Amino acid sequence: MADALHPHAWRIIEQLQVPIMTLDMAGYLTSWNQGAQHLFGYTPQEAIGQHVLFLYADDAGDTQTPTPELWPERGNAVMEVWRRKKNGENFKAALVLSVLHDDHNQPLALVAQMTEITQTLEPHDRQKLHSSIIEDSDQGILITDINERIVSVNAAFSYITGYSSQEAVGQTTDLLRSGEHNADFRAKVLAAMHGSGPWQGEIIGKRKNGELFPQSVSISVVRNDAGRVTHAFSVFSDISVLRDTEARMQRLANFDNITGLPNRGHFHQLVDQGLASARRNNHIGAVLTVDLQRFDDVNETFGHEIGEELLRQVAERFGQTLREEDVLARVAASEFVVALLNVQKREHSGIVAQKLLATLKPGFTIDSMVLHVGANIGISVFPEDGTDTVTLMQFADVAVKRLKAEGDSGYLFYSPEMNQRAKERWHLEDELRQALKSRHLLLHYQPKVSLRTGRIVGAEALIRWQHPEKGMISPGFFIPIAEETGLILEIGDWVLEESCRQIRAWKDSGLQVPVVSVNLSARQFDRQLPTRIQAVLGRYDLPASCLQLEITESLLVRGTDGVVQIMNDLVATGVSLSMDDFGTGYSSLAYLKKFPLTVLKIDRAFVIGIPHDDNDCAIARAIVTMAQQLRQEIVAEGVETRAQMHFLRDLGCDQLQGYLFSPAVPASALAHMLRTHVRLSLL
Ligand code: C2E
Ligand code: MG
Ligand code: MG
């Protein structure tokens, strides 16, 4: 018998203290566990192979061999029997017999479980004991007569159902009927109450206050000496708490607790199902990754509570825009994803994307503030781009990343060529890490000249990547990747260190070194920045005045107090701040007053059109006028022609940086220019 069971299962049974034995269909013992050994005193060696009769008490009334007719067809047979121990002692035992069937439903073996019934109590005491056990049980107990009328209930019954004993006794069990079960199910329960065999299961009951509750119930019957059923008793526990916890866990596992939307895992489940039916019906589907812009800024500036409220409101607006059958989920801090499972044409998913973007247009009012957020949406189409949820989500992500990388906003459909690029970017990121380690990064310096004297008055450190195979790679290409991956922090530190090292080396060689400016990424701008800068300067024994930091408008737009504070701290250490690429971002001129800037660099985009493009000229003029009022120095970037130089000088620009004078050059070349006092002719 033991070998018919899974080896683990038998090992467990073997060690149980509940006496369990198995018999073959002829009544010979085939296994014998520790509990059986303990009860009877026979070892497995002594017992196995014996006929079960050797355990029978001499005067037991049931000495006949168990015959198949007596065996329960299904479930258990419960009976009281007399047995004899090895030491000769007879005892009464409760025997539970069950038949094990093979795969073809043929009876295979009998499993017998036996419990000794100790009868040392006087009948009166026993009754008292039993009733107090029943009364004190924390399971509800209900005893009914043969007509299903309740004859007794315990305290837990009243506690769980709300009915007192007086209210319950005399009623039928319909008192607790919830109406949740069909006739078939009720017939089974009733059959158990009339002695068809013990029944165990879950029933939905109804409390006195009308509330439905799930209960785990076992029903058995009491028989008189003649074997007639006289009573039935149900033992039940209220498992609604369990159910609530289960439901809560279910929610936690499947839903985002801020917006209540499905989370990533659940989205997968839902969309897997949806795609299966889309496939059957030849429908087109789409997955849209919606990435909220500037959400981190909101969190940072206004705190997480406001951020969470914003997410809730966004989720609500999206929900209202989408159809019932669309799936909306929140899968990352600022990322939602939408699955459209039945669209006519791929283009229609673009219309949905437009609608989603449009819902964000009106600001979000939170705490009497109005916040504006935008989003980027990447779209992948089923079955064109992919046929499973994972691929579709991945490709929608690729599209959204592409939008971000290009600095665009709006929505974009995935194309295979993008994936190629995304892969290249991964590769590039890896190479960039290597480059940082193996010193393939270097700094070139582009001189800035005074428009009054023509002399070099500054230099901008510009990073270069000398790739062993691909040659020189433009920072315009790899800096955005470094920003996205966070690698910019290490690179930025290296740039600061390297430029200070260079200034020191120049000084040590007796050179008059003009102020060197270094570009900073917004990501480098944290509270520790001033301390880090002072530390680098200290390492090379340099005054702060030899360093200028170029920052971009994106930092100002973040406009938090934190940023202004850090800027003030920086200026307090003695370094100066320069606003790079001015005019390309969002900040208004008036806005600039708030920030302690020394230098304003007019972006090359406006310099290009000078002096022919009226618009560019007007913008340059406005910038210069404003900067003069703010007493900021003005540097024109990317000046390539003398005409540009004349115009800018006449406007009142202070300095010029551009190919007209020199591109960025290696450190040694700049040293040479300084030493030989090269000058720009202002004629
Ligand atoms: P940027 O800070 O605005 O630097 C000026 C860019 O314009 C440089 O490009 C420079 O070589 C180019 N340029 C200067 N004069 C002329 C000109 O007359 N004509 C034209 N067509 N271009 C001119 P580069 O070196 O490719 O750098 C591009 C951008 O990469 C920089 O723009 C800056 O934003 C970023 N970058 C460079 N080095 C670093 C760095 O060390 N850290 C960070 N965070 N960013 C850097
Ligand atoms: Mg710059
Ligand atoms: Mg610039």
Tab-separated table of all heavy atoms in Angstrom, residues 247-273:
chain	number	residue	atom	x	y	z
A	247	ALA	N	-9.470	38.775	0.228
A	247	ALA	CA	-9.841	39.765	-0.784
A	247	ALA	C	-8.871	40.938	-0.756
A	247	ALA	O	-8.476	41.452	-1.798
A	247	ALA	CB	-11.267	40.257	-0.533
A	248	ARG	N	-8.485	41.317	0.476
A	248	ARG	CA	-7.564	42.436	0.580
A	248	ARG	C	-6.214	42.069	-0.034
A	248	ARG	O	-5.596	42.858	-0.744
A	248	ARG	CB	-7.387	42.826	2.044
A	248	ARG	CG	-7.443	44.316	2.189
A	248	ARG	CD	-7.316	44.893	3.570
A	248	ARG	NE	-6.915	44.043	4.624
A	248	ARG	CZ	-7.710	43.643	5.613
A	248	ARG	NH1	-8.960	44.010	5.627
A	248	ARG	NH2	-7.254	42.879	6.578
A	249	MET	N	-5.785	40.857	0.267
A	249	MET	CA	-4.516	40.425	-0.299
A	249	MET	C	-4.597	40.361	-1.812
A	249	MET	O	-3.654	40.710	-2.516
A	249	MET	CB	-4.128	39.067	0.269
A	249	MET	CG	-3.508	39.220	1.636
A	249	MET	SD	-3.273	37.655	2.452
A	249	MET	CE	-2.359	36.777	1.229
A	250	GLN	N	-5.739	39.918	-2.265
A	250	GLN	CA	-5.980	39.847	-3.698
A	250	GLN	C	-5.830	41.233	-4.313
A	250	GLN	O	-5.184	41.421	-5.337
A	250	GLN	CB	-7.409	39.326	-3.906
A	250	GLN	CG	-7.784	39.051	-5.328
A	250	GLN	CD	-7.166	37.756	-5.796
A	250	GLN	OE1	-6.497	37.087	-5.019
A	250	GLN	NE2	-7.349	37.435	-7.051
A	251	ARG	N	-6.418	42.225	-3.621
A	251	ARG	CA	-6.341	43.604	-4.110
A	251	ARG	C	-4.901	44.086	-4.123
A	251	ARG	O	-4.422	44.658	-5.082
A	251	ARG	CB	-7.164	44.544	-3.222
A	251	ARG	CG	-8.632	44.497	-3.464
A	251	ARG	CD	-9.312	45.740	-2.907
A	251	ARG	NE	-9.028	46.913	-3.738
A	251	ARG	CZ	-9.565	47.129	-4.924
A	251	ARG	NH1	-10.422	46.284	-5.433
A	251	ARG	NH2	-9.263	48.199	-5.606
A	252	LEU	N	-4.211	43.832	-2.989
A	252	LEU	CA	-2.828	44.285	-2.880
A	252	LEU	C	-1.967	43.681	-3.981
A	252	LEU	O	-1.091	44.337	-4.519
A	252	LEU	CB	-2.255	43.869	-1.529
A	252	LEU	CG	-2.624	44.768	-0.364
A	252	LEU	CD1	-2.033	44.239	0.927
A	252	LEU	CD2	-2.124	46.184	-0.630
A	253	ALA	N	-2.268	42.409	-4.269
A	253	ALA	CA	-1.429	41.728	-5.244
A	253	ALA	C	-1.720	42.178	-6.670
A	253	ALA	O	-0.881	42.095	-7.536
A	253	ALA	CB	-1.619	40.225	-5.134
A	254	ASN	N	-2.917	42.690	-6.906
A	254	ASN	CA	-3.313	42.966	-8.292
A	254	ASN	C	-3.544	44.429	-8.631
A	254	ASN	O	-3.631	44.774	-9.787
A	254	ASN	CB	-4.593	42.206	-8.623
A	254	ASN	CG	-4.325	40.737	-8.802
A	254	ASN	OD1	-3.282	40.355	-9.302
A	254	ASN	ND2	-5.240	39.917	-8.355
A	255	PHE	N	-3.682	45.264	-7.600
A	255	PHE	CA	-4.062	46.640	-7.902
A	255	PHE	C	-3.098	47.632	-7.275
A	255	PHE	O	-2.487	47.366	-6.241
A	255	PHE	CB	-5.480	46.908	-7.401
A	255	PHE	CG	-6.515	46.115	-8.153
A	255	PHE	CD1	-6.877	44.855	-7.724
A	255	PHE	CD2	-7.083	46.598	-9.311
A	255	PHE	CE1	-7.801	44.096	-8.420
A	255	PHE	CE2	-8.008	45.859	-10.027
A	255	PHE	CZ	-8.366	44.607	-9.576
A	256	ASP	N	-2.989	48.745	-7.924
A	256	ASP	CA	-2.166	49.833	-7.432
A	256	ASP	C	-2.938	50.526	-6.320
A	256	ASP	O	-4.103	50.885	-6.504
A	256	ASP	CB	-1.913	50.781	-8.613
A	256	ASP	CG	-1.431	52.132	-8.163
A	256	ASP	OD1	-0.607	52.171	-7.241
A	256	ASP	OD2	-1.890	53.138	-8.736
A	257	ASN	N	-2.307	50.705	-5.170
A	257	ASN	CA	-3.090	51.210	-4.041
A	257	ASN	C	-3.339	52.714	-4.086
A	257	ASN	O	-4.146	53.222	-3.331
A	257	ASN	CB	-2.466	50.779	-2.705
A	257	ASN	CG	-1.072	51.335	-2.549
A	257	ASN	OD1	-0.493	51.811	-3.526
A	257	ASN	ND2	-0.533	51.308	-1.357
A	258	ILE	N	-2.683	53.424	-4.965
A	258	ILE	CA	-2.949	54.866	-5.065
A	258	ILE	C	-4.154	55.129	-5.977
A	258	ILE	O	-5.097	55.804	-5.600
A	258	ILE	CB	-1.705	55.618	-5.579
A	258	ILE	CG1	-0.590	55.504	-4.532
A	258	ILE	CG2	-2.030	57.083	-5.859
A	258	ILE	CD1	0.721	56.085	-4.977
A	259	THR	N	-4.112	54.562	-7.162
A	259	THR	CA	-5.176	54.862	-8.122
A	259	THR	C	-6.271	53.804	-8.140
A	259	THR	O	-7.336	54.027	-8.706
A	259	THR	CB	-4.600	54.931	-9.552
A	259	THR	OG1	-3.987	53.661	-9.828
A	259	THR	CG2	-3.566	56.016	-9.671
A	260	GLY	N	-6.003	52.632	-7.537
A	260	GLY	CA	-6.987	51.552	-7.579
A	260	GLY	C	-7.005	50.847	-8.935
A	260	GLY	O	-7.811	49.950	-9.154
A	261	LEU	N	-6.109	51.236	-9.821
A	261	LEU	CA	-6.063	50.597	-11.143
A	261	LEU	C	-5.298	49.278	-11.051
A	261	LEU	O	-4.513	49.088	-10.131
A	261	LEU	CB	-5.325	51.512	-12.130
A	261	LEU	CG	-5.979	52.821	-12.493
A	261	LEU	CD1	-5.055	53.613	-13.414
A	261	LEU	CD2	-7.321	52.578	-13.169
A	262	PRO	N	-5.492	48.380	-12.006
A	262	PRO	CA	-4.685	47.163	-12.033
A	262	PRO	C	-3.203	47.531	-12.049
A	262	PRO	O	-2.833	48.593	-12.575
A	262	PRO	CB	-5.075	46.510	-13.365
A	262	PRO	CG	-6.443	47.005	-13.645
A	262	PRO	CD	-6.507	48.403	-13.081
A	263	ASN	N	-2.371	46.690	-11.475
A	263	ASN	CA	-0.931	46.920	-11.536
A	263	ASN	C	-0.345	46.119	-12.715
A	263	ASN	O	-1.091	45.532	-13.487
A	263	ASN	CB	-0.259	46.558	-10.216
A	263	ASN	CG	-0.444	45.094	-9.860
A	263	ASN	OD1	-0.835	44.297	-10.703
A	263	ASN	ND2	-0.167	44.757	-8.625
A	264	ARG	N	0.964	46.123	-12.801
A	264	ARG	CA	1.602	45.512	-13.962
A	264	ARG	C	1.218	44.039	-14.131
A	264	ARG	O	0.840	43.594	-15.203
A	264	ARG	CB	3.127	45.649	-13.841
A	264	ARG	CG	3.876	45.201	-15.081
A	264	ARG	CD	5.372	45.319	-14.859
A	264	ARG	NE	5.824	46.694	-14.863
A	264	ARG	CZ	6.153	47.354	-15.975
A	264	ARG	NH1	6.082	46.755	-17.141
A	264	ARG	NH2	6.547	48.612	-15.918
A	265	GLY	N	1.305	43.296	-13.012
A	265	GLY	CA	1.023	41.864	-13.094
A	265	GLY	C	-0.400	41.596	-13.568
A	265	GLY	O	-0.645	40.762	-14.443
A	266	HIS	N	-1.334	42.340	-12.961
A	266	HIS	CA	-2.733	42.134	-13.303
A	266	HIS	C	-3.014	42.566	-14.742
A	266	HIS	O	-3.795	41.951	-15.459
A	266	HIS	CB	-3.597	42.919	-12.320
A	266	HIS	CG	-5.031	42.509	-12.338
A	266	HIS	ND1	-5.424	41.207	-12.517
A	266	HIS	CD2	-6.172	43.224	-12.203
A	266	HIS	CE1	-6.747	41.145	-12.492
A	266	HIS	NE2	-7.220	42.356	-12.311
A	267	PHE	N	-2.352	43.647	-15.157
A	267	PHE	CA	-2.492	44.117	-16.532
A	267	PHE	C	-2.107	42.993	-17.496
A	267	PHE	O	-2.815	42.710	-18.461
A	267	PHE	CB	-1.598	45.341	-16.748
A	267	PHE	CG	-1.651	45.901	-18.148
A	267	PHE	CD1	-2.687	46.733	-18.545
A	267	PHE	CD2	-0.662	45.596	-19.068
A	267	PHE	CE1	-2.730	47.241	-19.836
A	267	PHE	CE2	-0.696	46.102	-20.360
A	267	PHE	CZ	-1.733	46.926	-20.734
A	268	HIS	N	-0.996	42.336	-17.176
A	268	HIS	CA	-0.560	41.211	-18.007
A	268	HIS	C	-1.662	40.164	-18.125
A	268	HIS	O	-1.980	39.720	-19.222
A	268	HIS	CB	0.690	40.565	-17.408
A	268	HIS	CG	1.946	41.193	-17.887
A	268	HIS	ND1	2.557	40.814	-19.045
A	268	HIS	CD2	2.686	42.193	-17.372
A	268	HIS	CE1	3.644	41.551	-19.219
A	268	HIS	NE2	3.739	42.400	-18.220
A	269	GLN	N	-2.229	39.792	-16.981
A	269	GLN	CA	-3.282	38.770	-16.994
A	269	GLN	C	-4.436	39.200	-17.890
A	269	GLN	O	-4.889	38.456	-18.765
A	269	GLN	CB	-3.859	38.572	-15.591
A	269	GLN	CG	-2.951	37.819	-14.659
A	269	GLN	CD	-3.491	37.875	-13.232
A	269	GLN	OE1	-4.522	38.512	-12.977
A	269	GLN	NE2	-2.807	37.226	-12.322
A	270	LEU	N	-4.899	40.442	-17.635
A	270	LEU	CA	-6.068	40.919	-18.367
A	270	LEU	C	-5.798	40.986	-19.862
A	270	LEU	O	-6.629	40.599	-20.687
A	270	LEU	CB	-6.476	42.306	-17.855
A	270	LEU	CG	-6.954	42.352	-16.403
A	270	LEU	CD1	-7.128	43.789	-15.945
A	270	LEU	CD2	-8.263	41.594	-16.265
A	271	VAL	N	-4.620	41.478	-20.218
A	271	VAL	CA	-4.329	41.679	-21.629
A	271	VAL	C	-4.047	40.337	-22.313
A	271	VAL	O	-4.427	40.139	-23.465
A	271	VAL	CB	-3.190	42.689	-21.820
A	271	VAL	CG1	-2.853	42.859	-23.286
A	271	VAL	CG2	-3.596	44.029	-21.221
A	272	ASP	N	-3.410	39.412	-21.576
A	272	ASP	CA	-3.207	38.079	-22.159
A	272	ASP	C	-4.549	37.493	-22.596
A	272	ASP	O	-4.695	36.988	-23.706
A	272	ASP	CB	-2.554	37.133	-21.139
A	272	ASP	CG	-1.055	37.422	-20.990
A	272	ASP	OD1	-0.515	38.146	-21.852
A	272	ASP	OD2	-0.456	36.938	-20.020
A	273	GLN	N	-5.521	37.600	-21.688
A	273	GLN	CA	-6.858	37.088	-22.019
A	273	GLN	C	-7.439	37.840	-23.207
A	273	GLN	O	-7.968	37.252	-24.152
A	273	GLN	CB	-7.817	37.254	-20.836
A	273	GLN	CG	-7.524	36.320	-19.692
A	273	GLN	CD	-8.180	36.805	-18.402
A	273	GLN	OE1	-9.020	37.697	-18.417
A	273	GLN	NE2	-7.776	36.205	-17.290
